[in-house]
Amino acid sequence: MKKGTLRKGILASVPGTLPYVTAVSEKGNYNTPQIAERLGTVPSTPSSYFVSSLNENKAKQVCRRHESFVISHTERHLMRVYPAGMRIDSSNFNPVMCWAFGIQMAALNYQTEDVNMMLNSAMFEQTGRCGYKLKPEIMWDKHHVMYNKYNPLDKDFDGIYSTTLTLHIISGQYVSEKNLNGSCQVEVEIIGIPADSAKQKTKVVSRNSLNPIWNEGMIFQIQFSDLAFIRFTVTDISNGHVTGQRIVPIKSLRPGYRHLRLRMPNNKPLQLASLFIYSKQISGDTIDLNSSTESNQYEPGTVKRKPTLFTRIKDTVDFGRSDVSWKFIHLHAYLLK
């Protein structure tokens, strides 16, 4: 006799409880919503140790239709999202949107070092790569003004102060170690929820990758800085190759003058490559992004430099570890095909 096969998971909405993913077995599981509906009984809320697994396409569909329910459900239960079966090249999906909805486990193809895998690495470097990261307070703190009102797909957040990031790309050092005569350009990208996604580029410095000087300022408006990352990419325009890159969480970017150490496209450290930058973050009201006064305020010629500010950003930042319950954290998950 053949064993009962496992049918496709479905999203069920139970009166008085949160929607959850369950699997229906042909052998007759009386705790499933379909069987319970036939018997006229209301199923109980699933236990906290149950893990719901969805592929990325199903997870996107659920998050768009039931955004508030998914965030509330992940307060008490674990959810896992894994790459779709169509990714035959072992590529990865963007884990930031999963984290934005409170999903704890974003399973990635660990053997592929693409941008999304680098985002995952940058996320857990904040806690010394221990594998756990506390969720933003807006998802679990009942005293937060935006509790149960937060939707990552919104464009405006009334209860959250936006962050204005002023960034100045001053110069670089050995940004292309294999070709010192390359023509380099820096691209700065904000990766986060849809409202925060932005990208800007500097001018091209011709035939100088040893110590190029860009001396350009940028301003970004960030609504949800808890899940915002900044990516620096140095590209050799002559051949289109990425010579260095680095992804840093916005909250880990220290203010002032810094030497940002770059990494290879596969996220391995480079020995000499770095960017000399100035950054400042202001939390509060929105400023005029077209204002020349704000952008020129941090020109190297108008800011008095102090030698004590020339320090490098550490590869990992330890914010301290709190004894918290596992239901409020992001988990470091990966998938090997």
Side-chain angles (χ1 to χ4, degrees), residues 261-281:
R261 299 297 299 271
L262 297 178
R263 296 179 179 177
M264 298 180 185
N266 60 358
N267 212 29
K268 303 297 181 183
L270 289 169
Q271 294 182 355
L272 301 175
S274 64
L275 290 177
F276 184 41
I277 65 173
Y278 173 86
S279 65
K280 182 178 181 180
Q281 299 184 36

Side-chain angles (χ1 to χ4, degrees), residues 194-214:
D196 293 336
S197 299
K199 185 185 298 185
Q200 296 187 35
K201 295 181 180 180
T202 64
K203 62 184 179 182
V204 179
V205 176
S206 301
R207 301 183 62 82
N208 182 9
S209 60
L210 177 63
N211 55 350
I213 298 176
W214 291 283

